Amino acid sequence: MKNQKKFLFITMAAIILLFGVIFGVGWQNGGVTETVGFQYANLNFMVDASSKALDGIKGDGVASDSRALQTAVDQVAAVGRTLCLPAGKYRLTNNLNIPSNVEVVFARDAVLALDSNVVLTVDGTITAGNYQIFTGAGTVTSAQSSVIGNPVWFGAKGDGKTDDTAAFQKALDAFSQVDVPESSAGYVISGNGLVLKTNQKFQGEDGTKAKLIASANTKYMMQIPKSNVQISDISFDMTKSANGICVYFDNSVNALEKIHVSDID
């Protein structure tokens, strides 16, 4: 009986381990979901447990991976599965569309490098940890309000020293909802600050306060020229800006309506 129980335990453990290797295992690390189990050899993508899609991808940041990536996305979309992107720099020279029934999981050091004038349209789910996954002069955009963005994906450091304004603005331009990971050092915002758009939701991740720090030349931390905007769980540190303004409500172009601000320090 003891041997049978031992065999059953080992078998179950092996099954759980195999499931994690094939499909990935997620856990919470500082409020940001990390995922493992998708570092496949030869930079191939796993569509299911028995078949591989996408041969020939380079991931070297030099050769174009646009066609191969779109082929992989289309194959995954046909069965409604998850596309797992291993570490590598994937250059996009043409537009790429991620449909609503596809989840793309980025390993650490997996980065999409968008050439100028290239548009990455994200209508599906992006899963990544608190690390950069987008770079280049191209544009990331999503028409789906359910897709949540992260400024760290665009290169925000949150070290209290690096100017994170550009990374934050890219995230705000790309996604209707932006969740900011907690950072004890804070994110530096400079110049005219961040400009929010209509139907924008900007908040600290998981209810934690996201600290934005003004630089010496900060005029506004945040500008709101549009309606239907929600801001919550944000902390403003204006110590370095003698005349800076936290939130500037600009109604010179449009009458502002449905502006909700809560849990702000």
Side-chain angles (χ1 to χ4, degrees):
M1 180 63 71
K2 290 183 178 180
N3 289 336
Q4 288 179 338
K5 289 183 178 180
K6 183 177 181 180
F7 175 77
L8 180 60
F9 175 79
I10 294 174
T11 301
M12 291 300 295
I15 291 173
I16 293 172
L17 178 62
L18 180 61
F19 184 88
V21 171
I22 292 175
F23 296 103
V25 177
W27 75 94
Q28 292 295 316
N29 180 11
V32 178
T33 301
E34 303 280 2
T35 309
V36 297
F38 43 83
Q39 301 284 2
Y40 296 110
N42 302 319
L43 298 181
N44 288 319
F45 295 90
M46 206 63 119
V47 175
D48 56 35
S50 60
S51 66
K52 289 182 178 180
L54 187 60
D55 290 321
I57 187 170
K58 301 299 182 182
D60 59 7
V62 178
S64 175
D65 288 319
S66 293
R67 182 174 298 179
L69 280 171
Q70 190 64 68
T71 297
V73 168
D74 292 343
Q75 291 187 21
V76 171
V79 293
R81 299 269 181 133
T82 298
L83 182 64
C84 299
L85 191 61
K89 190 174 184 179
Y90 305 91
R91 183 185 174 196
L92 298 182
T93 57
N94 295 299
N95 296 345
L96 179 67
N97 300 308
I98 301 174
S100 58
N101 67 331
V102 171
E103 176 187 15
V104 180
V105 179
F106 288 77
R108 182 177 292 277
D109 297 323
V111 178
L112 293 182
L114 284 66
D115 278 10
S116 179
N117 298 321
V118 169
V119 177
L120 170 65
T121 302
V122 181
D123 291 328
T125 303
I126 297 293
T127 299
N130 194 13
Y131 40 79
Q132 187 168 3
I133 61 174
F134 301 125
T135 189
T139 301
V140 180
T141 184
S142 176
Q144 303 297 321
S145 60
S146 59
V147 181
I148 301 174
N150 180 344
V152 178
W153 294 349
F154 294 86
K157 302 299 183 184
D159 58 9
K161 299 177 181 179
T162 305
D163 190 339
D164 289 323
T165 309
F168 267 74
Q169 193 60 57
K170 287 182 178 180
L172 289 166
D173 291 343
F175 301 102
S176 294
Q177 178 173 336
V178 174
D179 286 7
V180 184
E182 183 178 8
S183 168
S184 58
Y187 301 90
V188 176
I189 304 299
S190 66
N192 289 327
L194 310 177
V195 181
L196 277 64
K197 60 188 178 183
T198 300
N199 300 321
Q200 189 101 65
K201 188 174 184 179
F202 182 69
Q203 62 186 17
E205 186 180 61
D206 297 330
T208 59
K209 279 290 196 312
K211 182 164 67 173
L212 303 185
I213 303 174
S215 67
N217 73 337
T218 301
K219 184 177 181 180
Y220 310 119
M221 291 289 274
M222 190 176 300
Q223 297 185 59
I224 304 179
K226 303 292 184 179
S227 295
N228 198 19
V229 172
Q230 297 182 52
I231 306 171
S232 61
D233 296 312
I234 301 294
S235 174
F236 296 101
D237 183 345
M238 305 298 294
T239 305
K240 295 181 180 179
S241 179
N243 300 309
I245 298 173
C246 290
V247 181
Y248 174 60
F249 298 92
D250 182 5
N251 63 354
S252 61
V253 179
N254 301 298
L256 299 181
E257 298 178 336
K258 298 181 179 178
I259 307 297
H260 301 278
V261 180
S262 61
D263 295 318
I264 300 297
D265 294 336

